[in-house]
Amino acid sequence: MLAAANTLAFVDRQALALLVQPIKDDLQVSDTAMSLLYGLSFTMFYVLVGIPVARLADRANRRNIVAAAIFIWSLATALCGVARGFGMLFVARIGVGAGEGGLSPAAYSILSDYFPKEKLPAAMGVYQMGIYVGGAAALLLGGLLASVVPPASIVAVPLIGAVKGWHLVFLMLGIPGLILSGLMLLVREPPRMGEGGHQPSPPFSQLFAHVGRHWQAYVGISCGFALMILVGNATGAWIPAFLERKFGLTTAEIGGLYGSITAVCGVSGTLIGGFVATALRRRGIARGNLYAALFGFTCLIPVTILFPQMPTAALSLALIGAMNFLAGFNFGGGLAALQEITPNRMRASVSAGYMLMVNLIGAAGGPFAIALVTDYWYGDPQSLPDAITLVCAIASPLSVAALLLGLKGYGRAIAPAAA
């Protein structure tokens, strides 16, 4: 159920990426404005509600928080389908971010109580699978709908009136989440296990003291994943426009090709990476969670730099598939490592801090960075491939450096437990 919720979250998030070009043409805005719509609008309220909701999740029923979050972001997604201008669409996207801000911190905490630490990486991998299932579903369904109802066409919707084809995508995506929010109430809230599980939620002073003692682990892991996700969000937001501008693919073709690749490669990466990290831990390799992630981070460097420079769409899509596999490979072990070194009643709060950094640096910064380089460094929309390469050439190596710091701190943090 949590994986299904994460899937829907990324369906709603990735649908905008597929529709960047039609929405840009319809609203007559720049690449930079579209990057703000994709990243900043989503991140603004996500950042504001993430910490308070996480603090609530450390002391209250996490299942109910997840159900409410799904309802809010699904309603906001549907509202994107009635937005008549950039301002209204921006506000609706803030609502999507507000809802999704309540999901992952509560979900990570729930999973940490459902699964023992040696099985947690695989469970986290299954949960994170939703990123790629959702992203692929948005692309495939959006591409299919675009082939039937072109994004720029006019459609009459009962009770709403005339809308563009791209509006219809958002309206239809809001419905499944409203249903899932009710089904989520069937999930059992697990008892809190592990260190601090039966204690009240600690004050911020204790939380900061704990993070301060293990700052290398927390800062290194969070910054490493934030930079990796910066690359992921930057490329994910602009790959559809890149494929259209460089190779002339249509929205329907991009949805089918890119969606299929995301589904197969991303899902297999998250599952295999989670199970590899679990296998390493079972073999007694204490830092196995992060060794698996370090492998994926390192391999991403050449892949992310080279895919925009390929001479054909087939070669570029092949490397995009490898990029999705390697990015997914990292999540299970990395997220399990954070949960492992955190007391129970701090897990949602620490997860919210992680999500805060990931969204400020990754979700907002990635798409915006590429748009800025395209609009103001190159000054030409057709230079989008070079802009993607430049951003990835900086962020991908930095992510490895940050994770190495986290690996050092993680080893120290788990040493007492191992002893």
Side-chain angles (χ1 to χ4, degrees), residues 187-358:
V187 172
R188 179 177 60 85
E189 169 75 0
R192 295 181 184 269
M193 310 294 288
E195 182 186 350
H198 302 289
Q199 299 172 4
S201 181
F204 274 115
S205 58
Q206 284 184 239
L207 174 64
F208 292 147
H210 173 78
V211 172
R213 283 194 298 272
H214 305 293
W215 71 269
Q216 285 184 321
Y218 285 113
V219 171
I221 294 171
S222 297
C223 285
F225 273 84
L227 287 164
M228 186 202 77
I229 290 169
L230 182 149
V231 171
N233 274 270
T235 55
W238 291 107
I239 281 174
F242 153 73
L243 292 171
E244 180 175 339
R245 293 179 195 179
K246 183 168 183 175
F247 301 114
L249 300 182
T250 66
T251 300
E253 290 171 334
I254 293 167
L257 291 169
Y258 182 33
S260 299
I261 287 170
T262 300
V264 174
C265 298
V267 169
S268 61
T270 53
L271 291 178
I272 292 172
F275 284 107
V276 166
T278 294
L280 292 174
R281 287 303 306 270
R282 283 179 175 169
R283 294 190 175 205
I285 300 174
R287 294 189 285 182
N289 285 338
L290 289 191
Y291 284 148
L294 184 61
F295 169 80
F297 273 54
T298 304
C299 293
L300 275 171
I301 295 175
V303 172
T304 55
I305 292 172
L306 291 175
F307 87 81
Q309 304 303 323
M310 292 296 101
T312 66
L315 288 173
S316 186
L317 285 166
L319 287 181
I320 288 170
M323 179 177 68
N324 276 275
F325 177 88
L326 292 166
F329 189 89
N330 303 323
F331 280 115
L335 294 174
L338 275 181
Q339 300 299 308
E340 183 181 359
I341 61 176
T342 306
N344 188 295
R345 291 283 182 173
M346 296 181 185
R347 283 175 179 162
S349 297
V350 165
S351 297
Y354 162 81
M355 296 301 295
L356 175 65
M357 186 174 292
V358 160

Side-chain angles (χ1 to χ4, degrees), residues 2 4 51 59 220 229 257 318 327 348 357 359 388 419:
L2 290 173
I51 298 293
R59 61 171 63 94
I229 290 169
L257 291 169
M357 186 174 292
N359 279 279
I388 294 173

